[in-house]
Amino acid sequence: MVTNSAINTAKSLVDSLAERLPEGRAEQFGVFIAVGELEELAYGLIGTLRKYGIAVTPAEHDLLRALLYSFDLPMPNYPLLSKRDQYLAELAVRDGPASAG
């Protein structure tokens, strides 16, 4: 079940990352939020952050962690989510405004 808390977390995270995401990705993620597909959103976010080496701020890292921990594991259709701790640890975290790579 998608909670209002998870939706608010997802919106805050996508809004914060929007200018650093590849073109069109923030809009795509917004659609996932609007239709309640937070698993798709989280899966896409993890993949995008890793693929493009997008650094996150500590606050964004906390939001991503909250989003990833809003799901019960295992999730066979979303294998990246099952490695959430590993991927959270691998993210580049920078104080202040974050930038790509």
Side-chain angles (χ1 to χ4, degrees), residues 30-45:
V31 170
F32 290 151
I33 295 167
V35 298
E37 291 290 340
L38 297 189
E39 297 91 349
E40 280 293 330
L41 168 68
Y43 192 78
L45 272 172

Side-chain angles (χ1 to χ4, degrees), residues 46 49-50 54-56 61 64 86-93:
I46 285 289
L49 294 173
R50 293 180 74 231
I54 299 171
V56 297
H61 190 272
L64 182 58
Q86 174 187 340
Y87 296 137
L88 283 168
E90 292 174 354
L91 284 178
V93 179

Side-chain angles (χ1 to χ4, degrees), residues 9 18 20 22-23 47 51 62 68 70 72 87 89 92 97:
T9 297
R20 287 175 276 134
E23 186 175 334
K51 179 178 180 178
D62 291 346
L68 293 175
S70 69
D72 293 327
Y87 296 137

Side-chain angles (χ1 to χ4, degrees), residues 49-84:
L49 294 173
R50 293 180 74 231
K51 179 178 180 178
Y52 295 97
I54 299 171
V56 297
T57 65
E60 291 165 345
H61 190 272
D62 291 346
L63 288 169
L64 182 58
R65 185 180 193 291
L67 178 62
L68 293 175
Y69 274 83
S70 69
F71 307 114
D72 293 327
L73 296 181
M75 296 186 78
N77 293 333
Y78 301 97
L80 293 178
L81 299 183
S82 295
K83 295 182 178 183
R84 60 189 176 196

Side-chain angles (χ1 to χ4, degrees), residues 4-38:
N4 285 337
S5 177
I7 291 170
N8 291 336
T9 297
K11 285 180 183 177
S12 295
L13 182 57
V14 170
D15 288 348
S16 184
L17 291 168
E19 291 186 13
R20 287 175 276 134
L21 295 172
E23 186 175 334
R25 201 62 56 95
E27 292 81 10
Q28 177 187 23
F29 292 157
V31 170
F32 290 151
I33 295 167
V35 298
E37 291 290 340
L38 297 189

